[in-house]
Amino acid sequence: MSNIDEDVRREVIAEIYRQVDELDWDGMSARERSDYYVRWIDDPMIGGKLMRYIERDRVRVWIKDGPIKELPRARHGIGSYAQFAMSRYPGMEEIARQAIGSDWQANPETLVVKPNRCLVEGPGHDILMIWGPATKLADLVWAGINARVDGDADPVIVVASPQGTRISEGEMERHKLLAKVAGIELRHTTLRLARA
């Protein structure tokens, strides 16, 4: 896949993100998303350009494993795809203020990804904020456990759900109980997309 012309690759990613921004991508079912992958293969601005460099049956994989897989990180302003995101979730600074408090300041120089985490400096001590969607809870808890074992700052998990995502009270309580078993505080917050 590295043989795709860089200008074409950038144009295709920008077009995919433009179209995703017009859709309710986060609210779409797996089946609806699957239908869009097929449409994108036949779209002259996406598949039409990619098929000059890769075979038709590889286009869907390229889209799914590249731009779409990186979409959540791009919307957080993280990674090489961030420049293409037309809408963004709040950055780590705003997530820290929203979930932890207005007296806390995220330190962008300490950002680590997969899962997203950074030091948040506040009154008296620093904490390690680890954030992501509920679907990545196992990864978030595991990162928190590793932070404890490695002697890092006290971890706080923030389950950051895109607006429109529904998490029941029972699920939220279960998240907190799972984190509590690991000795880690967990909080929930809602992220709202805004035009970049």
Side-chain angles (χ1 to χ4, degrees), residues 11-27:
E11 290 169 9
V12 169
I13 294 167
E15 178 62 17
I16 291 167
Y17 280 12
R18 185 192 68 75
Q19 290 188 28
V20 162
D21 203 52
E22 291 177 356
L23 303 168
D24 178 22
W25 189 257
D26 293 331

Side-chain angles (χ1 to χ4, degrees), residues 13 23-24 59 65 94 113 128-129 131 145 152 160 163 169 174 176 180:
I13 294 167
L23 303 168
D24 178 22
V59 171
D65 290 349
E94 181 58 29
V113 296
L128 180 67
M129 180 176 74
W131 77 96
I145 291 169
D152 294 338
Q163 184 176 10
E169 291 294 324
R174 183 169 178 81
K176 290 178 183 176
K180 185 177 180 181

Side-chain angles (χ1 to χ4, degrees), residues 39-90:
R39 289 182 193 181
W40 287 335
I41 291 169
D42 295 325
D43 186 321
M45 298 298 292
I46 299 172
K49 290 183 177 186
L50 290 173
M51 284 188 276
R52 290 187 248 156
Y53 302 94
I54 59 177
E55 294 180 26
R56 179 182 177 85
D57 63 346
R58 299 286 303 148
V59 171
R60 178 188 174 101
V61 172
W62 187 90
I63 294 169
K64 190 173 182 179
D65 290 349
I68 297 302
K69 183 177 181 181
E70 290 297 316
L71 181 62
R73 289 183 351 113
R75 284 180 165 173
H76 281 289
I78 299 169
S80 61
Y81 289 76
Q83 62 187 310
F84 303 106
M86 298 183 75
S87 292
R88 296 264 171 98
Y89 292 122

Side-chain angles (χ1 to χ4, degrees), residues 3 10 18 34 45 54-55 75-76 87 89 92 96-97 105 108 111-112 123 127 136 147 150 156 160-161 164 178 185:
N3 59 346
R10 294 171 63 81
R18 185 192 68 75
S34 184
M45 298 298 292
I54 59 177
E55 294 180 26
R75 284 180 165 173
H76 281 289
S87 292
Y89 292 122
M92 68 185 85
R97 282 191 293 273
Q105 187 71 34
L111 175 68
V112 179
I127 60 171
K136 299 293 183 185
D150 294 340
V156 173
S161 303
L178 288 167
E185 182 179 351

Side-chain angles (χ1 to χ4, degrees), residues 165-185:
T165 303
R166 303 240 188 278
I167 301 177
S168 71
E169 291 294 324
E171 286 175 291
M172 287 195 279
E173 189 57 35
R174 183 169 178 81
H175 295 166
K176 290 178 183 176
L177 289 171
L178 288 167
K180 185 177 180 181
V181 167
I184 303 168
E185 182 179 351

